[in-house]
Amino acid sequence: MGTPTLSPDDEMMFFGRGYKTRQGDSWSEMQRLGPDFEDIRIMRVTASNAGTLAIDEATRESDSVLRYALRTDNGWHAPQPFPASINTGEWNAHPFIAPDESYLIWDGQRGSDTNSADLYISFKQADGQWGEAIKMGPEINTEVSEFAAQITPDGRFLFFNRSVGEGNVDTFWVDAAIIENYRPQ
């Protein structure tokens, strides 16, 4: 079913290949993202203000791909893979697309003998292309796994999960202003 996430306007709640829309004080029945999403085993969906979706693929294989899907009047276009600058390494998961689509944060494993995730960020360039993946620094990443990052709706905090012991996970947060430390000059 996927980890539930909310759209930036709190009007849609995503669950893997499905979603619900807000209806007053409750939620609609589950709807499907569309036939182009059915063969992708989605763990997490996040959305931008414009309705662009960022999705991952729940796979244990090294071919996990992060994708995006642009909003249409009647749903979404077929998901397309983010570029190789993002889809590189052993695996990639749990994308978070900024509400204004200026950056993407995700976790992945790259160039490590241990099976631990680190958080990465890529910024959208002036020409609309995604920049190189930047590994977040030691104030975020440690020798254990960090994963499933997201920014609070008010844009003030970056929350993420960290493995803190055998089978234990805790949630950590930092001021979201840290993102500017990674933005290329």
Side-chain angles (χ1 to χ4, degrees):
M1 183 136 187
T3 303
T5 60
L6 291 170
S7 62
D9 64 4
D10 290 335
E11 294 297 314
M12 298 181 88
M13 185 184 319
F14 297 96
F15 301 86
R17 293 182 294 257
Y19 67 97
K20 295 181 177 191
T21 56
R22 188 176 296 282
Q23 296 180 333
D25 292 336
S26 63
W27 294 94
S28 71
E29 293 297 316
M30 187 71 75
Q31 302 170 61
R32 302 303 279 181
L33 291 174
D36 293 322
F37 295 82
E38 291 301 316
D39 290 337
I40 304 170
R41 210 172 136 223
I42 300 171
M43 260 190 314
R44 186 181 201 194
V45 177
T46 60
S48 71
N49 288 331
T52 299
L53 302 181
I55 65 174
D56 62 2
E57 184 174 14
T59 178
R60 295 190 187 278
E61 300 170 17
S62 62
D63 62 352
S64 63
V65 175
L66 299 182
R67 294 181 170 90
Y68 66 93
L70 301 176
R71 183 90 167 136
T72 69
D73 290 339
N74 300 322
W76 290 270
H77 288 285
Q80 301 297 312
F82 279 100
S85 59
I86 292 171
N87 282 310
T88 300
E90 298 299 315
W91 51 265
N92 299 287
H94 308 110
F96 174 83
I97 191 165
D100 64 359
E101 299 183 24
S102 63
Y103 60 85
L104 181 76
I105 301 173
W106 72 99
D107 51 89
Q109 183 178 351
R110 297 176 181 210
S112 173
D113 292 335
T114 61
N115 188 20
S116 67
D118 288 312
L119 292 176
Y120 292 86
I121 189 167
S122 174
F123 293 92
K124 192 173 272 187
Q125 309 298 301
D127 64 2
Q129 300 298 308
W130 289 97
E132 291 299 315
I134 301 166
K135 182 177 176 179
M136 294 179 133
E139 58 279 332
I140 303 289
N141 289 314
T142 65
E143 68 281 350
V144 296
S145 290
E146 284 77 28
F147 55 97
Q150 64 183 24
I151 302 293
T152 55
D154 62 8
R156 294 181 54 206
F157 302 102
L158 167 64
F159 278 82
F160 59 95
N161 293 325
R162 178 179 289 150
S163 298
V164 292
E166 191 65 36
N168 294 318
V169 173
D170 204 352
T171 302
F172 290 79
W173 62 273
V174 296
D175 189 312
I178 197 167
I179 289 170
E180 293 308 312
N181 294 350
Y182 302 108
R183 189 179 300 275
Q185 301 304 319

